[in-house]
Amino acid sequence: MKLKLVRHAESTANVRKAISTKLPGPPLSDVGRQQADELAARLRADPVVAVYSSLATRAQQTATPVAAAHGVDLQVIDGVHEVFVGELEDRTDREGIEAYAQVFFPWIQGELHHAMPGGESGIEVRDRFVAAISEVRAKHEEEDPDGTVVMVSHGGVMRLGVELLADNVPRSARLSGLIANTGAVVLEAHRDGRWRCVAWDGVELPRHG
């Protein structure tokens, strides 16, 4: 089983370069709607057996054309929405972005006890994200072992979540910039209960080691 985690297409908040995490959040921009259609076209040949999205409007709008292309219902799932940033919500200034980074980058070094000001800690994000992915895996791993599950989520929670799920994510990927709109991280289920990351935002990773 493969899990293809996809960052949503461009939202109106992305256009403003604003930190946007509240639900249901802003919709896609005109460019974002085009990106969603292009994503569906790119994935048309994949053996997609299910399509999920977070609770956010922009994620659902991105996932809808993908689900339609494969003739499956879109399933909206809790737990894979973006990191809730609290007091940093809707900030566009440099200081706000730096305040976010000062909490987020320690997370991907394993220091999950830090919390966004008025928002979530890394522990809270980990618990909800890992629980949601485990639920999806339990549902599809035996039933669709050769299929691909697509889940439209968000850049921040994807970067942290994949690091927690897979043990082969290289440091260069963890510390790289935000995953592109409609960029994907592909995970492959292993019998030991772990996941292996096989592709990060278009770059294939070694399957051995």
Side-chain angles (χ1 to χ4, degrees), residues 54-182:
S54 80
L55 301 172
T57 297
R58 57 193 181 277
Q60 294 183 53
Q61 289 178 333
T62 302
T64 294
V66 179
H70 289 278
V72 298
D73 293 332
L74 173 60
Q75 301 179 66
V76 179
I77 187 170
D78 195 7
V80 298
H81 48 279
E82 187 56 290
V83 173
F84 178 52
V85 298
E87 297 169 13
L88 301 180
E89 184 71 19
D90 212 37
R91 294 277 293 270
T92 59
D93 57 291
R94 181 176 177 178
E95 290 77 11
I97 303 300
E98 290 177 347
Y100 175 92
Q102 286 171 3
V103 176
F104 187 84
F105 282 105
W107 284 357
I108 57 177
Q109 301 298 329
E111 300 177 27
L112 300 179
H113 61 281
H114 297 286
M116 295 290 171
E120 288 184 295
S121 70
I123 294 171
E124 291 172 313
V125 178
R126 176 198 65 193
D127 289 351
R128 64 170 169 84
F129 185 83
V130 171
I133 298 301
S134 297
E135 178 183 337
V136 170
R137 180 171 183 164
K139 183 176 180 180
H140 293 284
E141 187 170 26
E142 292 188 11
E143 182 178 334
D144 307 301
D146 298 318
T148 296
V149 173
V150 174
M151 180 178 294
V152 179
S153 185
H154 305 263
V157 74
M158 284 171 56
R159 288 175 70 191
L160 177 63
V162 172
E163 166 69 12
L164 296 170
L165 293 170
D167 56 9
N168 69 316
V169 180
R171 178 179 173 83
S172 58
R174 297 200 309 268
L175 299 180
S176 64
L178 192 63
I179 296 167
N181 290 116
T182 70

Side-chain angles (χ1 to χ4, degrees), residues 8-18 20 25-30 32-33 58 61:
H8 62 82
E10 183 188 80
S11 70
T12 55
N14 292 152
V15 175
R16 298 191 298 111
K17 301 187 184 304
S20 179
L28 296 182
S29 66
D30 290 341
R33 286 191 288 272
R58 57 193 181 277
Q61 289 178 333

